[in-house]
Amino acid sequence: MAEAEATAAAAAAAAAAVLPVAVFGCRPRVAGGVCFLEERVVLHAAGAGCLRLHIDHKWHNFIPGTKKSRGVQALAVSPDRRFLALSEAAGERPVLTVYELSAERARRRKALAAEEQPARQAVSLAFSPDSQLLAAATAPPEGHLACWLWEKQQLVATVRIPAAGDGPCQVSFNPQDSTQVCITGNGYFKLFKYSEGYLKQMNLQRGEPENYLCHAWLSAEEVICGTDTGKLSLFETGDLHWEKSLEYRKPPRKQKGTTEEYESGAAFEDTSLQQHSLPKISAVAAYSKGFACSPSPGVVLLFEKTSEEEAYEERQEVWLPQDLFSTDPKKSSRQDITWICFSPSEEVMVVSTNKNQLYMFTMFSNKLIREKISYFSYMNFPLHSNSITGLDMCTWKPILATCSLDRSVRIWNYKKNTLELCKEYQEEAHTVSLHPTGFFCLVGFSDKLRFISLLYEDMHVFKEFAVKKCRECSFSNGGHLFAIVNGNVIQIYSGITFENVTNLKGHTGMVPAIKWSSDDTKLVSCDTHGAVYKWNLLTGQKESECVLKTCIYSSISLTYDAKIIFAVGSDQTLKEISESSMTVTSDDQFLLTASEDGCVFIWRVHDKEPGEVKEEQKLECAEEVLIMRSDIDEKTQAILDLQNCVRDLQTESEYELRLKDIYCEEKIKSLEENFTQEIDFLKTKHQILQEEKEKQKLQHEVQLSELIEKQAKEVKQLESDSSQKLSMENEKYQELQVKSQKMEEEYEKQLHSLEESKTKAVAELKEQYEKKLKHKSVLLEETKESMRKQIKAHEEMEKQIYEDGDKEIFELKDKYEKQLLEEKESNIQLKGEIGVMNKRLNSLQKELKDRNRDIEEMRLEQQKLQDIIKSLEKDILALKTDVKERTETILEKEKYVYELKMKNQELQNFKFVLSYKIEESKKQIESRENDIETMKKQISEMEEELEQFRKESVELKLNITQLQQKQKATAGEVHREMEKRQNMETLIKRFKADLHNCVRFINDSKKMKDGIRELYTKYMHQPDVVEGQAEDTDLQQQYKKQQEYNERNLAVLRKKVMKDKEIQHTAYMRIVQENMSLIKEINDLRQELRVANAQVHSLESALRLNKSKKAIQDTAPSTELPSGPAVLRLNPEMESEKIIEMQQLEIQYLRDQVQEMGKALNSPGSVSFS
């Protein structure tokens, strides 16, 4: 399709009431081609105008260009984002227009043109910061810079800018100065200042000229420029401040989204080796932290400002991603980046490339998240990178197909504004046609014509036809036929058997377009020799024709009734070959056009009468999609595998949960017993502590009353002392105020005297220098008059001495030349003296400034004195706070001393109590041993009862779970039956309504019969389907509920297990410690038993030596009676040591209790005291 088709459709937007709905594409190599209007709204060039696009909501708003426009060459948006300037090529002269963007539809404000400006295309545009001026730069080598006051359509200033050669040039305004303009190009970097209708150059270019490809303002004084040799140059106020040469960047080894590796030094087919060896900065853009630039294809570098010698440092690389739809993914990631722009909040960066693609990158503010290498993503989806050769729309679905010279075929959805399918082939595609169902398409490649099935995620070639370089093909409206253009012959094939039905011959030129009528009985075609034919397919002959040899037709369309034909040709006009409304699609709503820059336009068709829109026909779009059986088998197999895994996991989890439940129940019972024992012990302890607390409360109240009296006395003394100190400080403060007033009066007098002396000195100096200037001016006039007289005398002498000869003439010339040099030197000396006088004036002015500084310093000293006064006041307040703090510390120390005394008294009391408790504890040991034996018996009996209870509880829990599951199952069945009942009621209602509709046709037997058949087909199998669907949905719901229940139980049990592990560990450690202490006691007792047994054995041996029985009888009771104490006192030293240890432990325990009681009592006591 030619670009003229898009421009013709844009021109018809006003005359034929055509409005654009969606645009898929981007125009390449447009200066300022992409920019942000809002945070998520992007504007870029497309076709013969511009497109406003919302990144998230996907709505399109097209801004058409002027009539007969051949495309946008440059664009610019004002800083306030209210106005848009476009440079277009239309007709003989270029067009420069300004649009207002505030409304929903952009409104054309002004068209700029001037007779003084040369008729050359503007290649770069820029608005001033206040949006009043518009700068336009024309292409080199005879370049011009023009400045417009665009609201008044007035050309303010122009400047000619000679260039060293061809190449891109760029113009921009200083972001903070509306009168300063920067322009760069091949061999020049210039700054201009606009004033009084002229553009005056501000800087002088030094060094060798370079080819500057792009530039950007970093601040009000700094401009960063990029060259074709990969050099970054930072200019500050026109002078070179910093330079850095960037190297050619090779892509990373692994690209995003793929596992393939790049080969080092790989070159594309459409680029040269020099481009891969030399860096070239093709785009630069500034943001708040620094700037972004593209030194080589496919990459953007982010630079940020540093505090070191190097002004800017590289922070991040951002690469273009690979196109997975392409046959060569490497090629898509090595495109030249032509323009870079940032969103208003600098959260998103968007770039455009030379292959018509738009990419975006989300900026990261957090340094921790930032990676060294990142990747762009498509702003919406990949676009066509070359001219579109064919397009077609589907009748069943809201989709359209396009093919391009970039060897790709794409399927678009024009209601959702998305790309649904895309595939790239090895050959160039010249034409495409969609089947009415949207399941198939015909694509004409340079080698063959292919019949392709459109699958869910792919395109599958189903059939190939040996037709080379097929330029046009089309399916019939019914889809049972399709037409192919083979040279000058139109071949008709069957869409079912793929047989050649008929051949239509008669065209002499190439046939670029064919269209079917609505009933598929007629076909319209056009050729490049200006002929439009209408064919009758039943007879295979021409019905009518229209020949216009001056026009080369490129596309054609016709209405629903095949009476009106529309054609577009080389004269860029839309021809209506009959008088009627325009219709293109089956629902009379849309017109499709394509352009050479790869853009696809979808236009909504309206009636010709203004304000009336044709009523839209509500057509239901099909949603079915083709899919391969192998893909379905793979997915079903994967689902079955996953289901088996889920079942295995369920059984394992249920078994583990049962085991954990049993273990946890046992653990809970043991813990409950321990806790009950501890609670009883703590209750008794708490009662004892409360009694002691009440005693100590009474003591503290007595002490508090005494301390309050002491504090009142001390406060009175401190108040008297502080009042005396305050009176002294007030007297000092009044003296300082008097001194400061006197100082102020003296400084004011000095200031008045200095100002008077300054004015007198300035007047005297002015008079002196004016006298000197007058004297010097008189001397200059005298020297000028003497020069004139000498020159006249010299001329007279020349006339007189001319006859004497050439020698004298040469001598006189030398003399007078020397005299002229001396006079010039004298003039130079006079100028030097004038310069010295100017320097003296400057020095005097500096002295005046120094005196003003002295005055300001005196004022600062006055302020310092006032600050000293304030600091003294602060010191007074600080002293007061110190006094308060010291009183508080004294009180705290007294409290501490009193507490120590109380503790000493308590310890003495505890000594007496301990001695009494030791005696009682000896008595209680014997009784407790007996109690322990009885308790052990009770514990064994209780354990047996607990085991019985545990078994009974397990059985009851199992019964409860079974009953709950049965209850859930019955509830689910009840719910299903209710749903089935509702479905059956709705079916009965529908059936009654359909029966009522059929009753109307009682008189007409055929219609009655058809209606009954429809009822049979509609309601005969539907209940089974409904029941199957209901069962499937119930199974899925039960499966989801069971899965969620298992996941929740797993999480709860994991938490319980972790808690049980911690409790078990602490209990285990406590038991180990108790066992260690018991083992020590057992060992000690064993040693005592051994000693006792040895002593008993020695006593028994001594007793056996006695022979008389009387002595034995007399001694027997004596030995038996003290046997108990003898055993106890076998080793009195060991007994005493043991008793001391026990007493020490009890003393330590009582001390700990005393400290705890003291802490508990101190906390309320301290609060009440403060």
Side-chain angles (χ1 to χ4, degrees), residues 19-296:
L19 292 175
V21 176
V23 181
F24 305 126
C26 177
R27 187 177 179 84
R29 305 216 177 265
V30 176
V34 186
C35 52
F36 276 90
L37 299 179
E38 296 176 13
E39 184 58 33
R40 306 297 290 176
V41 179
V42 177
L43 183 139
H44 63 85
C50 292
L51 178 68
R52 283 191 284 195
L53 170 66
H54 198 286
I55 297 172
D56 298 329
H57 301 311
K58 303 290 187 298
W59 53 257
H60 294 194
N61 187 353
F62 185 65
I63 303 170
T66 56
K67 292 183 180 180
K68 297 186 179 181
S69 174
R70 294 193 298 274
V72 178
Q73 300 297 320
L75 64 88
V77 176
S78 61
D80 57 2
R81 295 178 174 84
R82 288 183 57 206
F83 304 106
L84 168 68
L86 297 180
S87 172
E88 302 173 85
E92 297 178 356
R93 290 182 66 84
V95 179
L96 192 62
T97 51
V98 179
Y99 295 82
E100 187 176 358
L101 299 173
S102 58
E104 185 178 354
R105 290 282 175 187
R107 184 167 59 88
R108 186 177 299 176
R109 285 285 298 273
K110 302 290 180 183
L112 308 179
E115 295 179 356
E116 299 88 357
Q117 188 184 12
R120 292 181 65 83
Q121 183 70 39
V123 295
S124 182
L125 301 172
F127 277 97
S128 61
D130 57 1
S131 304
Q132 298 294 322
L133 297 175
L134 177 66
T138 59
E142 295 181 0
H144 284 79
L145 175 62
C147 196
W148 295 82
L149 195 63
W150 64 270
E151 287 188 346
K152 296 181 180 179
Q153 295 181 330
Q154 181 181 354
L155 182 64
V156 178
T158 56
V159 173
R160 187 177 177 276
I161 300 172
D166 293 334
C169 70
Q170 185 181 349
V171 64
S172 64
F173 275 92
N174 188 325
Q176 298 180 12
D177 188 359
S178 297
T179 60
Q180 193 173 355
V181 186
C182 175
I183 186 168
T184 56
N186 190 353
Y188 60 88
F189 166 77
K190 294 185 179 183
L191 293 172
F192 290 95
K193 185 84 172 177
Y194 170 71
S195 63
E196 298 178 356
Y198 292 98
L199 287 169
K200 297 178 183 178
Q201 188 170 348
M202 294 172 60
N203 66 324
L204 293 172
Q205 193 168 350
R206 297 172 185 174
E208 295 182 0
E210 295 189 14
N211 185 6
Y212 296 104
L213 300 179
C214 53
H215 74 268
W217 288 88
L218 301 180
S219 64
E221 296 179 350
E222 293 181 344
V223 182
I224 189 78
C225 298
T227 66
D228 60 348
T229 58
K231 187 188 290 184
L232 285 171
S233 302
L234 181 65
F235 293 93
E236 190 171 351
T237 62
D239 296 326
L240 186 63
H241 178 65
W242 173 74
E243 273 189 344
K244 184 171 184 177
S245 295
L246 301 179
E247 296 179 354
Y248 179 82
R249 300 298 174 104
K250 292 181 181 179
R253 301 295 293 174
K254 286 187 179 180
Q255 277 278 31
K256 184 181 179 183
T258 61
T259 57
E260 297 179 357
E261 295 185 353
Y262 278 133
E263 295 178 0
S264 60
F268 295 127
E269 295 178 359
D270 58 344
T271 54
S272 62
L273 292 171
Q274 292 181 355
Q275 288 179 339
H276 280 268
S277 59
L278 295 174
K280 181 177 72 171
I281 298 171
S282 58
V284 170
Y287 66 107
S288 60
K289 293 183 180 179
F291 64 91
C293 67
S294 175
S296 55

Side-chain angles (χ1 to χ4, degrees), residues 804-863:
D804 294 340
D806 293 333
K807 293 180 181 180
E808 293 178 358
I809 289 166
F810 286 120
E811 290 174 357
L812 289 167
K813 278 184 180 179
D814 293 335
K815 287 179 183 178
Y816 286 115
E817 283 176 356
K818 288 177 181 178
Q819 288 178 1
L820 283 167
L821 287 169
E822 289 174 357
E823 288 173 355
K824 286 179 181 178
E825 287 176 356
S826 64
N827 286 328
I828 290 164
Q829 288 176 358
L830 290 168
K831 288 179 181 178
E833 290 176 357
I834 291 163
V836 171
M837 298 296 284
N838 288 325
K839 286 180 181 178
R840 288 180 182 175
L841 276 169
N842 291 326
S843 65
L844 288 168
Q845 288 176 355
K846 286 180 181 178
E847 287 176 0
L848 288 170
K849 288 179 181 178
D850 292 335
R851 288 182 181 178
N852 289 325
R853 285 176 187 170
D854 294 335
I855 291 160
E856 288 177 356
E857 287 175 357
M858 297 292 281
R859 288 178 182 171
L860 291 169
E861 286 178 358
Q862 186 180 356
Q863 289 178 357

Side-chain angles (χ1 to χ4, degrees), residues 359-452:
Y359 297 92
M360 62 183 290
F361 175 72
T362 304
M363 306 285 285
F364 294 107
S365 59
N366 191 354
K367 293 183 179 178
L368 296 172
I369 301 171
R370 182 182 294 173
E371 296 178 355
K372 180 65 178 174
I373 297 173
S374 301
Y375 296 93
F376 284 97
S377 60
Y378 284 102
M379 196 171 79
N380 281 322
F381 32 71
L383 304 169
H384 281 298
S385 60
N386 210 331
S387 60
I388 295 170
T389 54
L391 77 164
D392 193 18
M393 183 182 281
C394 178
T395 55
W396 283 24
K397 298 180 181 179
I399 60 172
L400 63 101
T402 58
C403 62
S404 172
L405 294 177
D406 60 3
R407 301 180 300 176
S408 69
V409 179
R410 298 169 196 259
I411 308 297
W412 312 84
N413 191 318
Y414 58 83
K415 284 192 176 178
K416 297 180 182 178
N417 293 341
T418 55
L419 179 67
E420 292 198 348
L421 279 177
C422 176
K423 190 166 184 179
E424 190 172 325
Y425 294 89
Q426 297 293 332
E427 301 293 333
E428 292 181 353
H430 300 288
T431 182
V432 67
S433 178
L434 270 175
H435 195 271
T437 59
F439 296 149
F440 311 101
C441 71
L442 276 171
V443 183
F445 294 96
S446 56
D447 58 344
K448 289 180 181 179
L449 179 78
R450 290 178 173 86
F451 189 91
I452 297 172

